[in-house]
PDB file of all heavy atoms in Angstrom:
ATOM      1  N   PHE A   1       0.785  -1.155   0.002  1.00 82.00           N
ATOM      2  CA  PHE A   1      -0.003  -0.057   0.002  1.00 82.00           C
ATOM      3  C   PHE A   1       0.826   1.259   0.006  1.00 82.00           C
ATOM      4  O   PHE A   1       1.958   1.243   0.571  1.00 82.00           O
ATOM      5  CB  PHE A   1      -0.935   0.029   1.214  1.00 82.00           C
ATOM      6  CG  PHE A   1      -1.849  -1.162   1.419  1.00 82.00           C
ATOM      7  CD1 PHE A   1      -1.516  -2.122   2.194  1.00 82.00           C
ATOM      8  CD2 PHE A   1      -3.004  -1.218   0.620  1.00 82.00           C
ATOM      9  CE1 PHE A   1      -2.278  -3.351   2.366  1.00 82.00           C
ATOM     10  CE2 PHE A   1      -3.750  -2.354   0.792  1.00 82.00           C
ATOM     11  CZ  PHE A   1      -3.460  -3.440   1.666  1.00 82.00           C
ATOM     12  N   GLY A   2       0.314   2.303  -0.636  1.00 86.00           N
ATOM     13  CA  GLY A   2       1.069   3.537  -0.531  1.00 86.00           C
ATOM     14  C   GLY A   2       2.360   3.669  -1.369  1.00 86.00           C
ATOM     15  O   GLY A   2       3.332   4.259  -1.005  1.00 86.00           O
ATOM     16  N   ILE A   3       2.443   3.077  -2.523  1.00 88.00           N
ATOM     17  CA  ILE A   3       3.623   3.002  -3.347  1.00 88.00           C
ATOM     18  C   ILE A   3       3.782   4.413  -3.941  1.00 88.00           C
ATOM     19  O   ILE A   3       2.881   4.985  -4.423  1.00 88.00           O
ATOM     20  CB  ILE A   3       3.574   1.970  -4.466  1.00 88.00           C
ATOM     21  CG1 ILE A   3       3.606   0.534  -3.791  1.00 88.00           C
ATOM     22  CG2 ILE A   3       4.693   2.056  -5.371  1.00 88.00           C
ATOM     23  CD1 ILE A   3       3.302  -0.576  -4.784  1.00 88.00           C
ATOM     24  N   ARG A   4       5.035   4.986  -3.868  1.00 89.00           N
ATOM     25  CA  ARG A   4       5.275   6.178  -4.492  1.00 89.00           C
ATOM     26  C   ARG A   4       5.964   5.995  -5.876  1.00 89.00           C
ATOM     27  O   ARG A   4       5.395   6.416  -6.934  1.00 89.00           O
ATOM     28  CB  ARG A   4       6.287   7.124  -3.660  1.00 89.00           C
ATOM     29  CG  ARG A   4       6.454   8.557  -4.296  1.00 89.00           C
ATOM     30  CD  ARG A   4       7.278   9.415  -3.401  1.00 89.00           C
ATOM     31  NE  ARG A   4       8.606   8.905  -3.310  1.00 89.00           N
ATOM     32  CZ  ARG A   4       9.675   9.821  -2.796  1.00 89.00           C
ATOM     33  NH1 ARG A   4       9.286  10.839  -2.252  1.00 89.00           N
ATOM     34  NH2 ARG A   4      10.829   9.269  -2.799  1.00 89.00           N
ATOM     35  N   THR A   5       7.054   5.205  -5.970  1.00 94.00           N
ATOM     36  CA  THR A   5       7.655   5.006  -7.120  1.00 94.00           C
ATOM     37  C   THR A   5       8.204   3.407  -7.101  1.00 94.00           C
ATOM     38  O   THR A   5       8.348   2.937  -6.098  1.00 94.00           O
ATOM     39  CB  THR A   5       8.819   5.877  -7.467  1.00 94.00           C
ATOM     40  OG1 THR A   5       9.901   5.658  -6.374  1.00 94.00           O
ATOM     41  CG2 THR A   5       8.463   7.291  -7.494  1.00 94.00           C
ATOM     42  N   MET A   6       8.386   2.913  -8.344  1.00 95.00           N
ATOM     43  CA  MET A   6       9.159   1.699  -8.562  1.00 95.00           C
ATOM     44  C   MET A   6      10.311   2.056  -9.497  1.00 95.00           C
ATOM     45  O   MET A   6      10.070   2.960 -10.399  1.00 95.00           O
ATOM     46  CB  MET A   6       8.364   0.589  -8.962  1.00 95.00           C
ATOM     47  CG  MET A   6       7.226   0.227  -7.909  1.00 95.00           C
ATOM     48  SD  MET A   6       6.277  -1.396  -8.466  1.00 95.00           S
ATOM     49  CE  MET A   6       7.595  -2.574  -8.297  1.00 95.00           C
ATOM     50  N   GLY A   7      11.341   1.308  -9.436  1.00 97.00           N
ATOM     51  CA  GLY A   7      12.458   1.556 -10.374  1.00 97.00           C
ATOM     52  C   GLY A   7      13.456   0.593 -10.355  1.00 97.00           C
ATOM     53  O   GLY A   7      13.368  -0.519  -9.742  1.00 97.00           O
ATOM     54  N   TRP A   8      14.505   0.928 -11.078  1.00 98.00           N
ATOM     55  CA  TRP A   8      15.593  -0.008 -11.338  1.00 98.00           C
ATOM     56  C   TRP A   8      16.969   0.814 -10.918  1.00 98.00           C
ATOM     57  O   TRP A   8      17.122   1.903 -11.400  1.00 98.00           O
ATOM     58  CB  TRP A   8      15.759  -0.511 -12.747  1.00 98.00           C
ATOM     59  CG  TRP A   8      14.613  -1.452 -12.968  1.00 98.00           C
ATOM     60  CD1 TRP A   8      13.401  -1.174 -13.666  1.00 98.00           C
ATOM     61  CD2 TRP A   8      14.595  -2.873 -12.770  1.00 98.00           C
ATOM     62  NE1 TRP A   8      12.646  -2.205 -13.759  1.00 98.00           N
ATOM     63  CE2 TRP A   8      13.316  -3.320 -13.320  1.00 98.00           C
ATOM     64  CE3 TRP A   8      15.548  -3.735 -12.293  1.00 98.00           C
ATOM     65  CZ2 TRP A   8      12.947  -4.730 -13.274  1.00 98.00           C
ATOM     66  CZ3 TRP A   8      15.151  -5.033 -12.210  1.00 98.00           C
ATOM     67  CH2 TRP A   8      13.943  -5.574 -12.660  1.00 98.00           C
ATOM     68  N   TYR A   9      17.848   0.066 -10.250  1.00 98.00           N
ATOM     69  CA  TYR A   9      19.198   0.546 -10.057  1.00 98.00           C
ATOM     70  C   TYR A   9      20.134  -0.531 -10.509  1.00 98.00           C
ATOM     71  O   TYR A   9      19.768  -1.598 -10.772  1.00 98.00           O
ATOM     72  CB  TYR A   9      19.403   0.823  -8.486  1.00 98.00           C
ATOM     73  CG  TYR A   9      18.581   1.980  -7.995  1.00 98.00           C
ATOM     74  CD1 TYR A   9      17.306   2.038  -7.898  1.00 98.00           C
ATOM     75  CD2 TYR A   9      19.412   3.117  -7.581  1.00 98.00           C
ATOM     76  CE1 TYR A   9      16.662   3.174  -7.359  1.00 98.00           C
ATOM     77  CE2 TYR A   9      18.654   4.298  -7.125  1.00 98.00           C
ATOM     78  CZ  TYR A   9      17.277   4.246  -7.017  1.00 98.00           C
ATOM     79  OH  TYR A   9      16.568   5.319  -6.494  1.00 98.00           O
ATOM     80  N   ARG A  10      21.348  -0.151 -10.664  1.00 98.00           N
ATOM     81  CA  ARG A  10      22.364  -1.153 -11.062  1.00 98.00           C
ATOM     82  C   ARG A  10      23.709  -0.783 -10.339  1.00 98.00           C
ATOM     83  O   ARG A  10      24.034   0.237  -9.934  1.00 98.00           O
ATOM     84  CB  ARG A  10      22.643  -1.223 -12.502  1.00 98.00           C
ATOM     85  CG  ARG A  10      23.274   0.060 -13.190  1.00 98.00           C
ATOM     86  CD  ARG A  10      23.264  -0.015 -14.670  1.00 98.00           C
ATOM     87  NE  ARG A  10      23.931   1.140 -15.281  1.00 98.00           N
ATOM     88  CZ  ARG A  10      23.957   1.361 -16.649  1.00 98.00           C
ATOM     89  NH1 ARG A  10      23.453   0.507 -17.436  1.00 98.00           N
ATOM     90  NH2 ARG A  10      24.517   2.505 -17.066  1.00 98.00           N
ATOM     91  N   GLN A  11      24.507  -1.914 -10.166  1.00 98.00           N
ATOM     92  CA  GLN A  11      25.786  -1.868  -9.537  1.00 98.00           C
ATOM     93  C   GLN A  11      26.781  -2.762 -10.304  1.00 98.00           C
ATOM     94  O   GLN A  11      26.528  -3.999 -10.325  1.00 98.00           O
ATOM     95  CB  GLN A  11      25.698  -2.225  -8.054  1.00 98.00           C
ATOM     96  CG  GLN A  11      26.953  -1.938  -7.319  1.00 98.00           C
ATOM     97  CD  GLN A  11      26.798  -2.005  -5.815  1.00 98.00           C
ATOM     98  OE1 GLN A  11      25.774  -2.621  -5.332  1.00 98.00           O
ATOM     99  NE2 GLN A  11      27.630  -1.445  -5.051  1.00 98.00           N
ATOM    100  N   ALA A  12      27.789  -2.110 -10.799  1.00 96.00           N
ATOM    101  CA  ALA A  12      28.862  -2.822 -11.589  1.00 96.00           C
ATOM    102  C   ALA A  12      30.002  -3.064 -10.506  1.00 96.00           C
ATOM    103  O   ALA A  12      30.107  -2.264  -9.480  1.00 96.00           O
ATOM    104  CB  ALA A  12      29.362  -1.963 -12.639  1.00 96.00           C
ATOM    105  N   PRO A  13      30.804  -4.069 -10.668  1.00 91.00           N
ATOM    106  CA  PRO A  13      31.885  -4.359  -9.700  1.00 91.00           C
ATOM    107  C   PRO A  13      32.703  -3.153  -9.555  1.00 91.00           C
ATOM    108  O   PRO A  13      33.269  -2.479 -10.464  1.00 91.00           O
ATOM    109  CB  PRO A  13      32.702  -5.439 -10.500  1.00 91.00           C
ATOM    110  CG  PRO A  13      31.759  -6.123 -11.385  1.00 91.00           C
ATOM    111  CD  PRO A  13      30.797  -5.107 -11.814  1.00 91.00           C
ATOM    112  N   GLY A  14      32.978  -2.852  -8.256  1.00 93.00           N
ATOM    113  CA  GLY A  14      33.837  -1.743  -7.903  1.00 93.00           C
ATOM    114  C   GLY A  14      33.246  -0.332  -7.997  1.00 93.00           C
ATOM    115  O   GLY A  14      33.905   0.639  -7.832  1.00 93.00           O
ATOM    116  N   LYS A  15      31.951  -0.264  -8.306  1.00 96.00           N
ATOM    117  CA  LYS A  15      31.257   1.007  -8.380  1.00 96.00           C
ATOM    118  C   LYS A  15      30.114   1.147  -7.487  1.00 96.00           C
ATOM    119  O   LYS A  15      29.633   0.083  -6.939  1.00 96.00           O
ATOM    120  CB  LYS A  15      30.758   1.139  -9.881  1.00 96.00           C
ATOM    121  CG  LYS A  15      31.873   1.312 -10.935  1.00 96.00           C
ATOM    122  CD  LYS A  15      31.315   1.570 -12.318  1.00 96.00           C
ATOM    123  CE  LYS A  15      32.401   1.837 -13.265  1.00 96.00           C
ATOM    124  NZ  LYS A  15      31.870   2.190 -14.616  1.00 96.00           N
ATOM    125  N   GLN A  16      29.591   2.406  -7.285  1.00 96.00           N
ATOM    126  CA  GLN A  16      28.467   2.563  -6.473  1.00 96.00           C
ATOM    127  C   GLN A  16      27.256   2.138  -7.205  1.00 96.00           C
ATOM    128  O   GLN A  16      27.188   2.221  -8.440  1.00 96.00           O
ATOM    129  CB  GLN A  16      28.418   4.128  -6.133  1.00 96.00           C
ATOM    130  CG  GLN A  16      29.640   4.603  -5.246  1.00 96.00           C
ATOM    131  CD  GLN A  16      29.467   4.316  -3.891  1.00 96.00           C
ATOM    132  OE1 GLN A  16      28.325   3.918  -3.359  1.00 96.00           O
ATOM    133  NE2 GLN A  16      30.457   4.368  -3.089  1.00 96.00           N
ATOM    134  N   ARG A  17      26.238   1.816  -6.411  1.00 97.00           N
ATOM    135  CA  ARG A  17      24.969   1.580  -7.120  1.00 97.00           C
ATOM    136  C   ARG A  17      24.336   2.901  -7.567  1.00 97.00           C
ATOM    137  O   ARG A  17      24.419   3.879  -6.965  1.00 97.00           O
ATOM    138  CB  ARG A  17      23.999   0.975  -5.956  1.00 97.00           C
ATOM    139  CG  ARG A  17      22.585   0.401  -6.641  1.00 97.00           C
ATOM    140  CD  ARG A  17      21.903  -0.239  -5.481  1.00 97.00           C
ATOM    141  NE  ARG A  17      22.493  -1.493  -5.161  1.00 97.00           N
ATOM    142  CZ  ARG A  17      22.024  -2.427  -4.321  1.00 97.00           C
ATOM    143  NH1 ARG A  17      20.702  -2.121  -3.780  1.00 97.00           N
ATOM    144  NH2 ARG A  17      22.675  -3.470  -4.111  1.00 97.00           N
ATOM    145  N   GLU A  18      23.912   2.853  -8.679  1.00 97.00           N
ATOM    146  CA  GLU A  18      23.357   4.006  -9.383  1.00 97.00           C
ATOM    147  C   GLU A  18      21.918   3.804  -9.927  1.00 97.00           C
ATOM    148  O   GLU A  18      21.499   2.789 -10.364  1.00 97.00           O
ATOM    149  CB  GLU A  18      24.245   4.453 -10.609  1.00 97.00           C
ATOM    150  CG  GLU A  18      24.296   3.489 -11.783  1.00 97.00           C
ATOM    151  CD  GLU A  18      25.097   3.957 -12.914  1.00 97.00           C
ATOM    152  OE1 GLU A  18      25.537   5.163 -12.863  1.00 97.00           O
ATOM    153  OE2 GLU A  18      25.319   3.169 -13.826  1.00 97.00           O
ATOM    154  N   LEU A  19      21.171   4.885 -10.030  1.00 97.00           N
ATOM    155  CA  LEU A  19      19.856   4.889 -10.467  1.00 97.00           C
ATOM    156  C   LEU A  19      19.890   4.685 -11.959  1.00 97.00           C
ATOM    157  O   LEU A  19      20.648   5.239 -12.683  1.00 97.00           O
ATOM    158  CB  LEU A  19      19.053   6.250 -10.172  1.00 97.00           C
ATOM    159  CG  LEU A  19      17.665   6.353 -10.634  1.00 97.00           C
ATOM    160  CD1 LEU A  19      16.850   7.282  -9.577  1.00 97.00           C
ATOM    161  CD2 LEU A  19      17.514   6.927 -11.970  1.00 97.00           C
ATOM    162  N   VAL A  20      18.905   3.869 -12.491  1.00 98.00           N
ATOM    163  CA  VAL A  20      18.715   3.614 -13.924  1.00 98.00           C
ATOM    164  C   VAL A  20      17.508   4.255 -14.342  1.00 98.00           C
ATOM    165  O   VAL A  20      17.521   5.076 -15.337  1.00 98.00           O
ATOM    166  CB  VAL A  20      18.707   2.115 -14.247  1.00 98.00           C
ATOM    167  CG1 VAL A  20      18.553   1.896 -15.756  1.00 98.00           C
ATOM    168  CG2 VAL A  20      20.059   1.450 -13.867  1.00 98.00           C
ATOM    169  N   ALA A  21      16.392   4.005 -13.763  1.00 98.00           N
ATOM    170  CA  ALA A  21      15.108   4.533 -14.203  1.00 98.00           C
ATOM    171  C   ALA A  21      14.093   4.361 -13.069  1.00 98.00           C
ATOM    172  O   ALA A  21      14.103   3.404 -12.333  1.00 98.00           O
ATOM    173  CB  ALA A  21      14.593   3.892 -15.521  1.00 98.00           C
ATOM    174  N   THR A  22      13.161   5.261 -12.995  1.00 98.00           N
ATOM    175  CA  THR A  22      12.007   5.175 -12.033  1.00 98.00           C
ATOM    176  C   THR A  22      10.752   5.428 -12.706  1.00 98.00           C
ATOM    177  O   THR A  22      10.690   6.237 -13.735  1.00 98.00           O
ATOM    178  CB  THR A  22      12.230   6.104 -10.783  1.00 98.00           C
ATOM    179  OG1 THR A  22      12.251   7.404 -11.237  1.00 98.00           O
ATOM    180  CG2 THR A  22      13.493   5.740  -9.985  1.00 98.00           C
ATOM    181  N   ILE A  23       9.622   5.105 -12.137  1.00 96.00           N
ATOM    182  CA  ILE A  23       8.333   5.303 -12.703  1.00 96.00           C
ATOM    183  C   ILE A  23       7.366   5.514 -11.619  1.00 96.00           C
ATOM    184  O   ILE A  23       7.414   4.647 -10.555  1.00 96.00           O
ATOM    185  CB  ILE A  23       7.966   4.248 -13.660  1.00 96.00           C
ATOM    186  CG1 ILE A  23       6.550   4.721 -14.388  1.00 96.00           C
ATOM    187  CG2 ILE A  23       7.753   2.930 -12.957  1.00 96.00           C
ATOM    188  CD1 ILE A  23       6.318   3.804 -15.589  1.00 96.00           C
ATOM    189  N   THR A  24       6.511   6.449 -11.530  1.00 93.00           N
ATOM    190  CA  THR A  24       5.450   6.640 -10.504  1.00 93.00           C
ATOM    191  C   THR A  24       4.203   5.834 -10.936  1.00 93.00           C
ATOM    192  O   THR A  24       4.072   5.312 -12.170  1.00 93.00           O
ATOM    193  CB  THR A  24       5.127   8.159 -10.372  1.00 93.00           C
ATOM    194  OG1 THR A  24       4.509   8.599 -11.641  1.00 93.00           O
ATOM    195  CG2 THR A  24       6.343   8.900 -10.177  1.00 93.00           C
ATOM    196  N   ARG A  25       3.275   5.719  -9.978  1.00 85.00           N
ATOM    197  CA  ARG A  25       2.013   5.074 -10.381  1.00 85.00           C
ATOM    198  C   ARG A  25       1.298   5.740 -11.510  1.00 85.00           C
ATOM    199  O   ARG A  25       0.688   4.985 -12.333  1.00 85.00           O
ATOM    200  CB  ARG A  25       1.105   5.071  -9.130  1.00 85.00           C
ATOM    201  CG  ARG A  25      -0.143   4.320  -9.420  1.00 85.00           C
ATOM    202  CD  ARG A  25      -0.947   4.217  -8.078  1.00 85.00           C
ATOM    203  NE  ARG A  25      -2.266   3.505  -8.296  1.00 85.00           N
ATOM    204  CZ  ARG A  25      -2.446   2.267  -8.350  1.00 85.00           C
ATOM    205  NH1 ARG A  25      -1.433   1.454  -8.010  1.00 85.00           N
ATOM    206  NH2 ARG A  25      -3.705   1.775  -8.521  1.00 85.00           N
TER     207      ARG A  25
END
């Protein structure tokens, strides 16, 4: 209940996790 957004992040070896894409309801 109460979802604001859903999305995808990615993390390559040795790197920080980064945002790929998000989508709202």
Side-chain angles (χ1 to χ4, degrees):
F1 303 99
I3 295 172
R4 185 175 73 170
T5 64
M6 295 184 71
W8 293 93
Y9 291 69
R10 67 185 181 187
Q11 187 168 21
K15 294 187 176 182
Q16 297 281 344
R17 187 172 297 186
E18 64 176 350
L19 183 147
V20 177
T22 61
I23 187 168
T24 68
R25 182 175 177 85

